[in-house]
Amino acid sequence: MRKKIVAGNWKMNKTYDEGLELAREVNEYLRYKEGAEGVTVILGTPFIHLAKVAHNITEANLSVAAQDCSAEKGGAYTGEISAAMIASTGAKHVIIGHSERRAYHGETNALLAGKVNRALENDLGIIFCAGEVLAEREAGNHFEVVERQLAEGVFHVTAAGFSRVVIAYEPVWAIGTGKTATPDQAQEMHAFIRSVVAKQYGDVAAADTTILYGGSCSPANAGELFSRPDVDGGLIGGASLKAADFFEIIKARAKR
Ligand code: PEP
């Protein structure tokens, strides 16, 4: 089912205690403050926080995601974390294909397809990231790039598998730069993504697919972005590191 989702991606931020405190604050906001009705909130924490945060949170609309998983099932892969290990912490989702992993860890669409398989085998929901770099947008290739990332990274799964996938459109030129895509640019790409999902899985599945926008989303611009019909929510980096800012974005999603 298509949902209103606001997911935080803490990236490589927060020590163990700081992370537990941030998760506690978000949980308290959702518990005691008005304004988050109908929004599903996900915390994409570092691996070290997953088990404890999953254990501590109390709110039904709050859950935890890992930021990556291995494409391997297990074994001699020093430093890697498997999807089975993530699921065993109580985390419910995993972010796959973030542009920072593609850029700094050489993650290819083929590798990401393997990660998607491992996540589904372990009953994890997937937030699958796709997005173009600035040169690709300037050359007018952004639709083609995003379609290929989806086709090669995630469209191999069955319709049942795809129902566990949320897509995050994250233009790389907007991530951490303070340069947000305009609401029109986001809507245009989200509508395009929905059309390629429809080609692959049919109109009903496309209408049910949740598509998030990510890239310098903040309390100041979230409302406008979420007002667009194909923007179902956000994947939030920097602004998810302060509970008050994150909650403002959640409220902006609830209002629309
Ligand atoms: C992200 O990393 O997923 C992201 C959207 O980052 P930021 O909000 O900081 O641009």
Side-chain angles (χ1 to χ4, degrees), residues 139-174:
N141 293 335
H142 42 299
F143 295 116
E144 195 188 306
V145 167
V146 168
E147 184 167 10
R148 192 176 331 114
Q149 289 172 340
L150 297 175
E152 295 179 3
V154 74
F155 281 175
H156 62 284
V157 305
T158 62
F162 193 76
S163 70
R164 307 290 317 271
V165 176
V166 165
I167 293 172
Y169 169 56
E170 298 210 307
V172 180
W173 46 271

Side-chain angles (χ1 to χ4, degrees), residues 9 11-12 97-106 172 175-176:
N9 175 14
K11 311 193 187 194
M12 195 172 72
H98 192 282
S99 61
E100 287 153 13
R101 302 236 26 118
R102 292 175 189 263
Y104 307 143
H105 300 272
V172 180
I175 295 180

Side-chain angles (χ1 to χ4, degrees), residues 7-9 11 95 98-100 129 168-171 174-179 213-218 234-240:
N9 175 14
K11 311 193 187 194
I95 299 169
H98 192 282
S99 61
E100 287 153 13
C129 303
Y169 169 56
E170 298 210 307
I175 295 180
T177 57
K179 232 191 207 183
Y213 168 78
S216 298
C217 187
S218 69
L235 179 56
I236 317 297
S240 72

